[in-house]
Amino acid sequence: MRRFYPVTKREIIVCRDVEELNRKAAAQFVAHAQNAMSRSGRFAVALSGGSTPKALYSLLASPEYRDRVDWSRVHFFWGDERCVPPDHPESNYRMVRETLLSKINPPPENIHRMLGEMEPRRAAAAYEAELQKFFGQADGELPRFDLIFLGLGEDGHTASLFPGSAALQETARWVATAYVERLRAHRLTLTLPVINAAAQVSFLVAGESKSAIVKAILEKDSLPTRYPAGRVSPVSGKLTWFVTEDAAAGIGSF
Ligand code: 6PG
């Protein structure tokens, strides 16, 4: 494992392989959960969808990690969701239920899923109300997640913030809808203000197929804000990029 602290407040952890990435991310999850619980009695985490985090969620549910977290005090949110029912193969909620929730059985009230089965604009408003209720923010204050896991698409998208999407420009709403032409699919997503209000944001990026976009975002002197993922920069929080060596192969210097 190699650790870099480039000029910005980003921490880039290059991991030998996806197994090491999962172990480092699981250790971070446990540490942040324990800190949050000692501070506030609970841990609010927003989980990423996609395929990369599946093995991490399974690892957290394994005997090696499961007993290190008081799951009764963990509140599960999602960074984004496909606009499909919760038992649909594309559902991020279903993926987390199968890999993690079904094995640790948190209290049902701790599971705050995005309602993919609902008409997207209503689902976005409903989720924003759910966040308001949970975080109880004063007017104008943003919800502050203890940890947000994010993935990275080869086009530089993260959560369901895709290049050119109007959701990227959203500064008032906490949850936005997005129609992704390429996928012919409606999505729900946390917006950048909410992501950047988090105490800790961690990207999970693995595989040679991501090397070009990782280079474009993380290489020294690049222009990361050209991409949605490059606009993730917690205002008063920490940013970690967990990247496997093959995904970081294109980077000369950070
Ligand atoms: C989703 C994710 C999305 C994902 C990236 C990377 O709902 O699919 O939120 O942003 O993290 O597309 O996906 P992979 O991990 O499958 O490469």
Side-chain angles (χ1 to χ4, degrees), residues 46-192:
L47 298 175
S48 171
S51 56
T52 303
K54 288 180 181 174
L56 166 61
Y57 302 154
S58 298
L59 182 64
L60 285 170
S62 71
E64 186 181 356
Y65 284 89
R66 181 172 50 214
D67 300 334
R68 299 188 200 179
V69 178
D70 176 357
W71 298 104
S72 70
R73 294 197 286 165
V74 178
H75 285 265
F76 298 88
F77 296 84
W78 276 256
D80 73 323
E81 185 55 280
R82 292 80 181 279
C83 292
V84 294
D87 55 357
H88 189 282
E90 281 289 303
S91 164
N92 286 335
Y93 161 77
R94 172 174 160 173
M95 180 270 286
V96 176
R97 188 189 65 210
E98 290 175 345
T99 54
L100 178 58
L101 302 180
S102 58
K103 298 169 186 170
I104 56 165
N105 297 306
E109 63 272 19
N110 289 24
I111 299 171
H112 310 268
R113 72 177 181 88
M114 291 180 170
L115 303 178
E117 68 275 25
M118 193 185 269
E119 187 278 324
R121 283 165 303 178
R122 290 186 55 225
Y127 207 63
E128 188 155 327
E130 177 89 359
L131 295 177
Q132 287 275 8
K133 183 177 159 208
F134 179 81
F135 287 99
Q137 300 304 88
D139 280 352
E141 266 189 19
L142 289 162
R144 184 171 172 80
F145 283 96
D146 296 304
L147 171 61
I148 298 180
F149 276 140
L150 292 173
L152 175 68
E154 293 176 33
D155 60 358
H157 81 261
T158 191
S160 283
L161 296 167
F162 286 79
S165 163
L168 272 174
Q169 312 311 325
E170 185 57 64
T171 55
R173 287 193 175 81
W174 297 359
V175 185
T177 63
Y179 180 70
V180 187
E181 190 64 46
R182 173 167 60 84
L183 303 172
R184 297 192 186 294
H186 289 277
R187 295 281 190 99
L188 297 167
T189 186
L190 295 183
T191 56
L192 278 171

Side-chain angles (χ1 to χ4, degrees), residues 215-227:
K215 175 184 173 73
I217 292 176
L218 293 185
E219 184 158 60
K220 191 166 172 291
D221 303 332
S222 67
L223 290 175
T225 53
R226 282 183 301 166
Y227 303 96

